[in-house]
Amino acid sequence: MSPLINIQKINTIFANRVGIFCYMLWKSAALSAYDMFSYYLVFCLQREKKNLQDLNGVFVFNVAEREHLDRPTARLIKEFDCIEESFMREIGSQYGIVPGSRENSLYSALWVAQALLRKGSIKTADKRILLFTNEDDPFGSLQDAAKKDMTRTTLQRAKDAQDLGISIELLPLSRPDSEFNVSTFYADLIGLDGEDLAQFMPSASQKLEDMKDQLRKRMFTKRVVRRIEFQIANGLSIELNTYALIRPTVPGAITWLDSVTNHPLKTERSLICEDTGALIQEPPKLFQPYRNENVKFLPVEIAEIKRISPGKLRLLGFKPLSCLKDYYNLRPSTFVYPSDQEVVGSTCIFIALHRSMLKHNRFAVAYYGASYHPQLVALVAQDEITSAGAQMEPPGMHMIYLPYADDIRDDEEIFPDTEEDAPRADEDQIQKAAALIKRIYVKDFSAFQFANPALQRHYAVLQALALAEDDIPETIDETAPDEEGLTRPAVVRAAEAFKHSVYGDSYDEESDMGKEKMSEASRKRKAIAENAAKDYDWGNLADKGQLKNLTVGDLKVYLNAHNLTVSGKKEALISRILTHMGK
Amino acid sequence: MARNKEKLVLLLDVGPSMHGVLSEVEKLCSMLVEKKLIFSKYDELGVVVFGTEESKNDLTTEVGGYQNITVLQDIKVVDGDLVDTLQKLPRGRVDGDFLDAIVVGMDMLIKKYKDLHKGKKRLCLITNAIHPIKDSFEGSKEDQVMTIAEQMAAQGMKIESIVVRGRLSRDANKGVMDENDHLLSIFSKKTHTRIVYVDTPTSLLGALKTRRVTPVTVFRGHLELSPHMKIKVWVYKKTQEEKFPTLKKYSEKAPASNKLATHQVKVSYEYKSVDGSSTSVIPPEQRIKGYRYGPQVVPISTAEWDAVKFKPEKGIKVLGFTDASKIKRHCYMKDVYLFIAEPGNTRATLAVSAIARAMKEMNAVAILRCVWRQGQQNVVVGVLTPNISQNYKIPDSFYFNVLPFAEDVREYQFPSFNSFPASWQPNDQQQKAADELVQMLDLAPSGKEALLPEFTPNPVLERFYRHLELKAKQPDAAVPPLDETLKNIVEPDPELVAENKSVFDALHRHFELRQNPKLKKSSRQWYQEKQSGSNAHVSSGQAVNSIENQPPVKIEKIGDLTPVQDFEAMMSQRDNPEWVEKAIKELREKILALLIHSDEGDKYQKAVECVAALRKGCILEQEPGPYNDLMHHIRQYCEEKGIKSLPQLLASRDLTLISNDVTAEEARSFFVKMEPKPDV
């Protein structure tokens, strides 16, 4: 991704707005540590020129030691941070396109941007030019013929770029005195017509806001995880694409460095035979000790065992949604969406099934023969949900991985009171609980409204260290409970009422019920420990320095008896005992 | 852990009415032992079969009675022979008495262990319970069962009954079955019991937990509703995937004569500096972790991190309650946790029960923030859903599912189904066919849910353990095919499909699928060929492989057959900038050759394709010169020869000059100028 900053009419306020936006965008891109993203910045219509093609009016912003099209470095971000001050001094701007000149800086800027994108890695899959401007009619000051000509060449340039797979996005910034009229020129440039044109302006300003909101997140390009065949019946298989919509995000990968030189290290993995110490080159066989011998397997055999209807999703039947219990879950779900790319007609069947499943409140049970991890899955249809023009939930099905018998545990059944029935709350207690729930009810909750505080902290620290900032910004833990809200008198009253109804008057929740219920075995152990502690003459042993003659177990007996920590090596234990004795 | 050794007696009904499912029982029990051999080698096991003609047990010799019960295996530590014994269960000729068998099993456990090992002694009964048990000498059957159950509780024994019913025992006396069910349920009143009813062979295989896992709490402490209201809870895992066993690597280096060889392989990691000259291994203390920030790597030591990283306090806090519909089912991230009130704490149990029931009534869920342990470096936000217990012995509890954070959600946009063309929208008949399928291919007809996860065994693991057993006897045994009984898990039930034949016929009639003709050879076909190839012969598999992962073949010359592709391939060879120059030159020659050798313009189309490719390539490489030169050349050529169709073709494809060196006007009017517009 590469924003081309095309500033038609410069004033400090404008530069500032774009600047702040880019600064944030870069910051988040640096964190994303994702090779696909590349950023650079081109100013056009500048007094100074600085670009490879030596075209007038175009300024490519960069810092030393950085390729033009590369991920933003800390230095770039830092320097850009000060762009506001240096802008007029170093880059400067000129007003509009001067009549009579053959210079077309918008055209040149597109050319430079395209050239830069071309220079980037061939892997740069998603090439984008973001065009920021507050000038709706860049050639407005020109005369008819020249204007026509420039308009045409510029449009052709843009079209050529689009043909090469570079998308151009327009981010108009309205001036205070007049509305940005997209149809004057830019509609043609980005290929808008009819209805799209009407909707462009409102959605464009929304887009800027949206992009700002996304900034703290690592960005992912939409990609198909796997293409699978969904076999509905014999001879009726449709094509589905799977997508990972929800996956835990972890801090970026660790690179090991040499702490002296700060150079990255190369990891070498080698297999060594424990009997002979010889290095093993070929991929070894695998074995499982069984019946006092080692049963050997070839990796091929393991793959064969796991291969059950490979690459296919086989429909087994349908069940009502109420059969999908809350505890049938193992991993994050996968999203499936139909595709007509290879099998024409797939989407039609999928839509029909999707509608039926929604109508009858049913989910499909299917067997997914992924080669690495075949599993029984539930397919739950999800209808499209939009809110204010934005898609909140895409239409499609979610594949939920179901557990098997051995994956489900019945731990709730291990402590039944065999003599009496389990206590159940009575109507009054339930009423009190309901009252309390009503007091702390959140109406608009979204399942993913919280930022991960650990991750945010990680990013903040990393950024501060990378940019050599002095202090690490405080991150807000959004997951902290609303202490203030919970101490509102109404909430406190409801809580007290509920507490009274279930706990009664004289219940001290801090009193350790657990201790009383301590199992017989552990009580016995403790008794033995206490006796043993008395057996030795600890003081005497310590004086004579004979503590080291005792076993770690014996030492731990003393530590246990005096409620001290029992972790650590023997020396640590001895020194801890001595400290405790005051010696 | 020797301390957790389980003592189990299997009580298996082998009477004539059970013969139909005995092969499944054999599989289930041998699987149980196979897993014990790997995961809990010191468990002890005895096997009792009932319904046999002969009788062989201690009680029949000591006190008489207890006919038709054979102790197949006295209680002993599990070993391989036990697997063989269980794989060849005798087929009995008499209808067995399960109560007698229970008494025999209890007697074995009592004689061997006295009243030790409380809670670790277990009886497992597999029967169909369709035959009446013998009347007792004194008191009713209920009293008899009651006495046995009390004795069992006193000895700290557990009993698990798997009752095979439904399709597997058709012509049975309803009254007898009800009576037996009632008798079995008495056990649950007195002692720790689990009764499971299964009606398909598949669910029979999943009915017995073949691997025993000691429950471990994730958290013990307070569930904080508000600073003023806390409930003591214990948290367990509710689901935890049983993974495919991690096999160890085998080394064949040790000589065969070495009887003590472990054949183990050690995996060692060495960190070396990348500078080509020195290959020194960097010791662990000299290593430091680096984190990426853009293209840079920022070194941060563990100590530095520890000083600044996120350190939440241990505890579970309620953030609020919300409507259950706000939480989509697909947002659940991980395996599931179980929250129970602290065992033995009646008031906590009451509090949990009250909250759970209130939540159920209001259709509400709670949002929780959990830090399970002190020193944990992240927090978990999740949703707590009520679990109202149906069994009056078991207290109410909660399930807890982890929810994603904002960073974990990728907001991809997908086209709305309504935006698709009409041909992709199902018509009324098609919709009706789909409706029929969704309703008729029913896996849960009137309460008899098939493929209930609780009773569905993992086919892959099942297959692995069977193969392991086969290999132990015969090291080169082939991978066995999937068991017939497990086919129902991976394929639709043939009976259900046959019942709904008309539905499927309608589906075939209304929906038409065809391969996209535009794709010559899809990746799917590649994949399938690869699969079948590797299946049949390794050699052919390799052959296909080599084609598929073709290392980009170097294109050294632009051929006649596919000049455009050759050109593109050549342009993308980035190892040497000369390729670009060469490619442009060769394609230019190819185009001119096509023009010259063209007979009445039959090769113009191909030439135009090449021109288009060249134009694109020249724009990409920022070299408009060669292309513009060629165009001038072509124009000249056409003018000389008076060819009109070619410029028309070029103009129609918008193949004008690249307009950087030349003015736009010149570019646009390049071909137009050359010839008057043809009359339309």
Side-chain angles (χ1 to χ4, degrees), chain A residues 30 71 74 107 111 114 118 152-153 217 222 233-234 237 245-247 249 255 257-260 264 266 268 270 272-275 285-287 290-291 296 301 305 307 314 316 318-319 325-330 332-333 337 341-342 344 348-349 352 355-356 359 362 373 384 391 398 405-409 412-413 415 418 421-422 424-425 440-443 450 452 454 456-457 477 479 481 499 503 507 512, chain B residues 34-35 80 84 192 209-210 228 230 232 238-242 248-251 262-264 266 268 270 272 274 286 288 290 294 296 308 319 321-323 326 329-330 332-335 347 353 357 369 385 391-394 401 406-410 413-416 420 424-425 431 435 441-443 449-451 453-454 456 463 469 471 489 491 504 508 513-514 516 531 619-622 659 664-665 668:
Chain A
R71 278 170 295 151
Y107 176 89
W111 181 257
Q114 190 196 314
R118 186 61 203 148
R152 198 171 44 234
T153 47
K217 282 166 72 172
K222 175 173 160 183
N234 281 331
S237 298
L245 290 194
I246 299 176
R247 289 291 179 274
T249 306
T255 316
L257 302 175
D258 183 339
S259 62
V260 179
K266 175 173 65 176
E268 274 181 16
S270 48
I272 296 165
C273 171
E274 281 196 355
D275 302 319
K285 280 185 188 172
L286 304 166
F287 78 95
Y290 180 68
R291 287 189 173 201
K296 279 164 265 177
E301 290 175 315
I305 290 174
R307 218 159 70 88
R314 290 201 75 164
L316 304 180
F318 297 89
K319 289 183 187 178
K325 300 281 190 301
D326 275 326
Y327 57 89
Y328 293 166
N329 207 69
L330 290 173
S333 62
Y337 194 81
Q341 204 187 338
E342 281 180 16
V344 177
C348 184
I349 301 193
R355 286 193 184 141
S356 307
K359 187 162 74 187
R362 284 175 158 254
H373 200 156
E384 185 180 20
Q391 194 175 52
H398 289 279
D406 278 334
D407 304 335
I408 301 175
R409 299 180 179 177
E412 65 259 55
E413 294 176 13
F415 300 107
T418 45
D421 294 350
R424 291 275 188 269
I440 33 183
Y441 207 75
V442 188
K443 281 216 171 56
F450 299 116
N452 185 346
Q456 292 292 320
R457 182 78 191 152
D477 182 1
T479 64
K499 193 171 173 178
Y503 287 170
Y507 176 69
D512 240 340
Chain B
E34 281 161 25
K35 282 196 186 175
D84 302 336
H192 185 262
K209 295 249 185 301
T210 44
H228 305 274
K230 296 169 184 170
K232 286 211 138 184
K238 175 65 186 171
T239 58
Q240 170 97 299
E241 189 172 351
E242 194 191 344
K248 291 181 185 133
K249 295 186 177 60
Y250 186 81
S251 161
T262 56
H263 295 288
Q264 303 251 7
K266 198 177 139 213
S268 85
E270 282 182 344
K272 292 181 176 170
V274 195
Q286 206 189 316
I288 187 166
Q296 292 157 290
V308 291
L319 299 182
F321 292 86
T322 191
D323 195 75
K326 297 272 182 204
R329 182 64 175 75
H330 62 258
Y332 293 0
M333 290 286 279
K334 277 178 71 181
D335 30 22
R347 280 152 167 176
S353 170
R357 279 163 193 260
R369 171 196 197 262
T385 44
N391 183 337
Y392 57 89
K393 285 280 178 197
I394 298 169
N401 271 290
E407 290 94 341
D408 304 339
V409 179
R410 304 170 191 181
Q413 303 285 305
F414 290 88
S416 167
F420 285 140
W424 287 14
Q425 305 287 350
Q431 189 62 53
D435 280 359
L441 200 64
D442 194 357
L443 289 178
E449 189 181 343
L451 288 177
E454 275 91 338
T456 310
R463 200 177 182 187
E469 174 65 27
K471 277 209 150 197
I489 304 170
E491 282 169 19
F504 281 105
H508 279 289
L513 290 176
R514 60 195 156 77
N516 192 342
Q531 291 287 322
I619 293 175
L620 281 169
E621 291 303 324
Q622 308 277 325
S659 53
E665 196 53 41
R668 255 186 71 79

Side-chain angles (χ1 to χ4, degrees), chain B residues 493-514:
Chain B
D493 183 3
E495 272 182 48
L496 193 62
V497 174
E499 273 172 36
N500 295 301
K501 193 172 173 301
S502 60
V503 177
F504 281 105
D505 287 346
L507 211 60
H508 279 289
R509 213 167 37 245
H510 290 298
F511 290 102
E512 190 203 353
L513 290 176
R514 60 195 156 77

Side-chain angles (χ1 to χ4, degrees), chain B residues 1-9 32 36 40 42-45 75-76 78 109 113 119-123 158 160 209 212:
Chain B
M1 285 280 275
R3 218 151 36 89
N4 288 328
K5 277 191 294 187
E6 188 193 44
K7 294 97 180 55
L8 173 68
V9 176
L32 177 83
K36 275 188 187 297
S40 37
Y42 305 107
D43 279 5
E44 293 170 41
L45 186 86
I75 300 176
K76 67 164 181 178
V78 287
L109 284 172
Y113 304 110
K120 280 164 197 134
K121 289 177 284 187
R122 196 155 72 101
L123 292 165
K158 298 175 185 172
E160 183 168 358
K209 295 249 185 301
R212 198 169 41 86

Side-chain angles (χ1 to χ4, degrees), chain A residues 518 520-536 538 552-563 566:
Chain A
M518 202 189 327
E520 221 170 297
S522 63
R523 206 180 303 155
K524 214 182 274 174
R525 266 203 300 278
K526 188 147 190 188
I528 293 170
E530 271 163 13
N531 288 334
K534 286 171 201 141
D535 285 353
Y536 291 107
W538 291 95
V552 170
D554 291 338
L555 295 174
K556 281 186 178 170
V557 164
Y558 179 91
L559 293 168
N560 265 329
H562 293 92
N563 275 333
V566 292

Side-chain angles (χ1 to χ4, degrees), chain A residues 342-353:
Chain A
E342 281 180 16
V343 184
V344 177
S346 296
T347 312
C348 184
I349 301 193
F350 188 87
I351 295 177
L353 284 178

Side-chain angles (χ1 to χ4, degrees), chain B residues 300-499:
Chain B
I300 303 171
S301 71
T302 320
E304 265 179 294
W305 267 128
D306 285 344
V308 291
K309 73 184 166 204
F310 184 65
K311 291 183 224 73
E313 279 293 306
K314 173 183 169 174
I316 297 182
K317 292 186 164 78
V318 174
L319 299 182
F321 292 86
T322 191
D323 195 75
S325 63
K326 297 272 182 204
I327 311 292
K328 296 269 177 275
R329 182 64 175 75
H330 62 258
C331 286
Y332 293 0
M333 290 286 279
K334 277 178 71 181
D335 30 22
V336 187
Y337 296 89
L338 170 77
F339 277 54
I340 57 168
E342 187 183 46
N345 184 337
T346 319
R347 280 152 167 176
T349 315
L350 269 181
V352 167
S353 170
I355 296 281
R357 279 163 193 260
M359 276 161 73
K360 188 84 184 170
E361 270 176 30
M362 299 165 75
N363 194 28
V365 294
I367 307 299
L368 256 55
R369 171 196 197 262
C370 306
V371 181
W372 308 120
R373 302 179 312 273
Q374 192 63 45
Q376 186 179 316
Q377 286 168 23
N378 58 354
V379 297
V380 175
V381 170
V383 56
L384 195 71
T385 44
N387 169 34
I388 306 300
S389 168
Q390 300 303 325
N391 183 337
Y392 57 89
K393 285 280 178 197
I394 298 169
D396 295 331
S397 54
F398 296 110
Y399 296 126
F400 176 77
N401 271 290
V402 178
L403 290 177
F405 285 113
E407 290 94 341
D408 304 339
V409 179
R410 304 170 191 181
E411 282 154 349
Y412 302 152
Q413 303 285 305
F414 290 88
S416 167
F417 286 158
N418 299 327
S419 69
F420 285 140
S423 63
W424 287 14
Q425 305 287 350
N427 58 32
D428 286 351
Q429 282 171 327
Q430 288 174 326
Q431 189 62 53
K432 200 161 159 276
D435 280 359
E436 289 267 295
L437 179 75
V438 170
Q439 281 175 297
M440 299 310 291
L441 200 64
D442 194 357
L443 289 178
S446 61
K448 277 188 191 154
E449 189 181 343
L451 288 177
L452 194 70
E454 275 91 338
F455 297 135
T456 310
N458 185 339
V460 174
L461 289 181
E462 202 84 44
R463 200 177 182 187
F464 170 74
Y465 289 111
R466 209 143 49 83
H467 191 204
L468 181 69
E469 174 65 27
L470 285 176
K471 277 209 150 197
K473 288 180 185 148
Q474 193 191 343
D476 55 349
V479 179
L482 195 67
D483 199 284
E484 277 304 313
T485 2
L486 299 176
K487 281 265 164 68
N488 277 349
I489 304 170
V490 302
E491 282 169 19
D493 183 3
E495 272 182 48
L496 193 62
V497 174
E499 273 172 36

